[in-house]
Amino acid sequence: MNLMLRNRPTELDPVEELDRLQRELSRWFDFGFDNMGLLDRALAPTVDLVETNEGYILTVDLPGVDKKDINLTVENNVITIEGEKKETRESKDKKRFFRKETWEGSFRRTISLPAAADPEKVHAELKNGILTVTIGKKEELKPRQIAVQVK
Amino acid sequence: MNEVMEKRQENKVRMVQPACAICEDNGQILVRVEMPGVDKDGIEVSVEKNELVIKGKPAAAPVEGTYLIRERQTGEYHKRFIIDETIDREKIQAVMNDGVLQLTLNIKEAAKPRKIEIK
């Protein structure tokens, strides 16, 4: 049985790879308690948190996870995503694997939201294995344009 | 270096290697490829000579804005596997569900282990 993985060097962009490495490294140096918990990384899905004019968008990779297995809570501006990625039928028999890069089991991730986030305005959607959480901004903290009158 | 920079301009889209799991089950090879964000229409599975090529294009564009946390790899998914003659190319099934592609490859009857009865 010859089912081997082959990476084509031409499909990898060295400059982009360096960029990514730098991003990864700087993340380690920025490693703080405001973004993630100390022990969160091991069994936590990868997330993106983006600030837009209207609010924040949290994107979580959860491929193969059912909607009913995800629990989302917001408390004191800390958002917690937890749940379980169910084992598939074939993954129970561990001996038969040729290759395994995927994980299953329970996961948990907590993210501190910026002060401007409004915990009342949270909306979540799961589509194609991506959980998108939209968080609104508090009205009084939104950037506002103030007209200055020159006399 | 210039060449590299030029090439970078040409294909801006980043190729991501999706996580996968391969296992054998009752004479079938099951390949699970995790491609979050890809729907049924964005997937392309083909066999080129002795290679199984999997391509996936996310349905939605990346979010525009200031990234406060950026851990996800975004781009187009691309994975290649070398398959040998024992795989029946005509009988490859693909199912896409919740961002996970499940491929079922059948081993040709001729290549399966045979028990020879002793008379």
Side-chain angles (χ1 to χ4, degrees), chain B residues 5 9 13 22 39-40 60 62 78 82 90 118-119:
Chain B
M5 294 306 273
Q9 296 297 315
V13 189
I22 305 167
D39 63 8
K40 212 181 93 204
H78 199 134
I82 296 174
E90 308 302 315
I118 301 160
K119 282 176 189 166

Side-chain angles (χ1 to χ4, degrees), chain B residues 72-83:
Chain B
R72 296 173 59 242
Q73 292 199 15
T74 47
E76 289 182 14
Y77 298 98
H78 199 134
K79 201 132 189 171
R80 277 167 188 268
F81 297 105
I82 296 174
I83 51 173

